[in-house]
């Protein structure tokens, strides 16, 4: 063999020997044994003690509705609801919800100013404004009948402004 091959062969043998030697000196690391898992003691299921027998609860008494409602007032020649009427209307809604099958008549009225035809139409529009409020508050529209009376059946004299103000109204009545 020539010298280069000899050196190459020697280097190869030395490298092989070294790799064998280094493998022999490696020590295998022992894997730690898994920690023993302790099983919890079985838990006894506790059943709740039977509740003492109670007398059956009586349903809460249903509060009877109060349909004694104030009149809804309107400005001169208008069917726009006055803001002062909102508390009356809200009370009416609350009472009507206690008896949702009850039927009502909404009687619209006007004062004596204007023609009888105009006053009759104005009284119908006033009663419809009240009905719209009730329907928007969640009440069933079919529970309301709208009747316009115009200037008939005044509750006060039409000779003074104070009297005419009281006559511009819608009355809420339980239908018979």
């Amino acid at each position: 063999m020539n010298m280069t091959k000899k050196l190459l062969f020697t280097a190869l043998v030395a490298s092989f020997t070294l790799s064998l030697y280094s493998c022999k000196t490696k020590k295998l690391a022992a894997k730690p044994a898994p920690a023993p898992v302790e099983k919890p003691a079985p838990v006894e299921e506790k059943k709740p003690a039977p509740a003492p027998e109670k007398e059956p609860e009586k349903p809460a008494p249903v509060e009877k509705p109060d349909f004694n409602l104030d009149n809804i007032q309107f400005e001169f020649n208008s069917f726009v609801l006055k803001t002062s009427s909102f508390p009356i209307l809200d009370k009416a809604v609350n009472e009507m919800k206690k008896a949702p099958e009850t039927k009502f008549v909404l009687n619209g009225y006007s004062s004596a100013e204007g023609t009888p035809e105009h006053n009759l139409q104005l009284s119908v529009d006033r009663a419809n404004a009240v009905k719209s409020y009730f329907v928007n508050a969640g009440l069933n529209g079919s529970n309301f009948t709208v009747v316009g009376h115009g200037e008939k059946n005044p509750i006060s004299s039409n000779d003074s402004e104070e009297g005419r103000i009281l006559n511009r109204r819608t009355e809420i009545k339980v239908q018979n």
Side-chain angles (χ1 to χ4, degrees), residues 6-174:
K6 230 181 190 185
L7 275 175
L8 199 59
F9 178 73
T10 308
L12 191 58
V13 171
S15 172
F16 180 72
T17 307
L18 244 150
S19 69
L20 281 178
Y21 179 74
S22 66
C23 285
K24 285 183 183 177
T25 59
K26 280 188 181 175
K27 294 185 180 173
L28 293 175
K31 291 184 180 176
V37 177
E38 290 185 30
K39 292 183 182 177
V43 177
E44 274 187 45
E45 290 185 32
K46 293 183 182 179
K47 294 181 182 176
E53 289 190 34
K54 295 180 185 177
E55 289 184 30
E57 289 186 27
K58 295 177 186 174
V62 177
E63 187 179 337
K64 289 189 177 186
D66 176 11
F67 294 132
N68 186 19
L69 303 167
D70 294 333
N71 294 336
I72 309 304
Q73 300 300 140
F74 295 86
E75 295 291 343
F76 170 71
N77 201 28
S78 173
F79 59 90
V80 175
L81 294 167
K82 282 183 150 183
T83 55
S84 62
S85 295
F86 293 151
I88 299 165
L89 291 164
D90 291 338
K91 178 186 177 207
V93 168
N94 289 333
E95 297 301 316
M96 291 173 180
K97 286 183 176 181
K98 294 176 186 175
E101 300 305 315
T102 305
K103 306 285 186 191
F104 297 90
V105 178
L106 304 174
N107 294 298
Y109 297 92
S110 69
S111 57
E113 297 101 344
T115 65
E117 297 81 22
H118 175 75
N119 289 339
L120 181 61
Q121 184 60 52
L122 185 58
S123 66
V124 169
D125 291 342
R126 287 174 173 169
N128 274 319
V130 172
K131 179 180 178 178
S132 293
Y133 187 93
F134 291 153
V135 170
N136 288 335
L139 298 174
N140 185 346
S142 65
N143 288 350
F144 302 99
T145 302
V146 170
V147 179
H149 297 280
E151 59 194 68
K152 296 179 189 170
N153 306 323
I155 57 173
S156 186
S157 170
N158 278 303
D159 293 336
S160 69
E161 182 57 23
E162 292 80 22
R164 289 188 293 268
I165 288 171
L166 294 175
N167 291 332
R168 299 176 192 132
R169 71 194 187 280
T170 294
E171 295 177 352
I172 306 165
K173 301 292 180 192
V174 175

